[in-house]
Amino acid sequence: MATAGAINIFVNANTKNFDKGIKGVRSGILGLTKGFADVSGAVNVAMQAFNAASRVVGTFVDEINRLDEIGDTAERLSITADSLVKLQRAAQLTGGDVGGVAKSLAILQRTLGDASMGQGGAVNALDRLGLSANELIGLDLGDAFKKIVERISSLPTPAERASIAADLFGKSASNLTGLMTEGASAISEATSEIDAFGAKLDEVRMKQVDEAQKSLEKLGIAWGGLKTELAIAAAPTLSSGADSAS
């Protein structure tokens, strides 16, 4: 997987031609007295530069957006992005719903809060696992999730695993049946895969993703502003042409 730093370099490097094209267009706009043909030529230069940049940057845009969404989800859950993607991969390896992991984490977050106040069925479920809500709340949510999954996977029967998982994760537990069965081995395998293939999302990489996302947003704003300037500059000429034709 291309690093977020490389993505950001591609974005910044390939916007230079686009910026050059924009300057050309603006020069054309200021010199409208030379005729609309000058503006059209500048537009053509800008479009060529923009299309060239888009072909390069476009390869990475979907990945930037995916990583940025992971970062936002992790932030909402107070979990590291790296921990989130590893749990998602563990769910995938065991036939679970990758998208359901974030939902399960959000439910667990609420469940642990209730259990810490002695409320809900999670209190008894945690007791059966030899865990306490107050202990788990003090951990990173990802670490708490792992500890719970490991304890559930050690239970002797599928019925027991399903019952306790439902108390802690609600209906979302049904999407994680395989993970609840394999437990630590699945999480360990997912961690090894992601680290080995360079897909680890540490704090430095997530910062690079954020910077790359901002660069893309600026590019979009610049392009929108250029289209506005062109439309305003061309309006009188177009109106004049329409009047002459009528």
Side-chain angles (χ1 to χ4, degrees), residues 125-149:
L126 291 172
D127 284 342
R128 290 168 64 188
L129 295 176
L131 299 170
S132 73
N134 289 330
E135 172 196 355
L136 294 171
I137 284 177
L139 301 175
D140 173 85
L141 184 60
D143 291 335
F145 181 92
K146 293 174 190 176
K147 189 177 285 288
I148 289 171
V149 168

Side-chain angles (χ1 to χ4, degrees), residues 16 35 44 55 69 86 90 101 105 115 135 160 173-174 223 225:
K16 289 180 180 179
N44 186 49
R55 283 193 294 272
E69 184 177 350
K86 286 172 179 175
V101 172
L105 286 167
E135 172 196 355
E160 288 179 272
S174 63
W223 180 237

Side-chain angles (χ1 to χ4, degrees), residues 71-143:
D72 290 343
T73 300
E75 186 175 357
R76 288 196 302 270
L77 293 170
S78 299
I79 184 175
T80 65
D82 192 55
S83 184
L84 177 57
V85 295
K86 286 172 179 175
L87 292 177
Q88 289 177 329
R89 177 56 180 158
Q92 186 179 42
L93 287 171
T94 54
D97 177 15
V98 173
V101 172
K103 182 178 180 181
S104 295
L105 286 167
I107 292 173
L108 178 62
Q109 195 173 47
R110 294 194 299 269
T111 299
L112 291 178
D114 290 341
S116 69
M117 296 183 289
Q119 301 173 0
V123 177
N124 291 332
L126 291 172
D127 284 342
R128 290 168 64 188
L129 295 176
L131 299 170
S132 73
N134 289 330
E135 172 196 355
L136 294 171
I137 284 177
L139 301 175
D140 173 85
L141 184 60
D143 291 335

Side-chain angles (χ1 to χ4, degrees), residues 219-230:
L219 183 61
I221 292 171
W223 180 237
L226 173 60
K227 289 190 291 184
T228 298
E229 288 190 29
L230 288 173

